[in-house]
Amino acid sequence: MLVLITYDVNTETDAGKKRLRRVAKQCTNYGRRVQNSVFECILDNAQCIVLKSILADIIDEEKDSLRFYYLGNNYKTKVEHIGVERGTAVDQVLIF
């Protein structure tokens, strides 16, 4: 399923900047960045639970926020994009 993950991490302190980098790194491990604090991730249920737990452990719930949008398996009809694409689509094959 496609999961859209957005986050807002308070970066007023060095600890906040570190949390921001850690959240972005974890999201990069599971999907692709489509905007500064927005990631598209193709996940199964187990991966989703693991990633949500990892991110929840990183953030400070009193200062930061995470949002998960579950677009399901038929996401191609639910996503419309206008403008410059950022990288390869999350569901395309990538050959190294």
Side-chain angles (χ1 to χ4, degrees), residues 3-65:
V3 180
L4 189 71
I5 301 172
T6 66
Y7 54 87
D8 187 19
V9 177
N10 183 313
T11 57
E12 293 175 351
T13 65
D14 287 339
K17 292 174 186 173
K18 183 177 179 180
R19 287 193 312 274
L20 177 67
R21 287 189 300 273
R22 290 178 64 207
V23 168
K25 182 175 175 27
Q26 287 302 319
C27 288
T28 301
N29 289 339
Y30 285 86
R32 76 170 182 142
R33 184 187 301 260
V34 292
Q35 292 187 357
N36 287 336
S37 296
V38 181
F39 281 80
E40 290 179 344
C41 304
I42 301 284
L43 306 170
D44 60 30
N45 286 335
Q47 290 172 317
C48 190
I49 290 167
V50 168
L51 180 55
K52 190 187 300 187
S53 175
I54 290 168
L55 296 176
D57 287 344
I58 293 171
I59 68 162
D60 180 340
E61 291 187 24
E62 294 181 10
K63 298 178 183 176
D64 310 327
S65 69

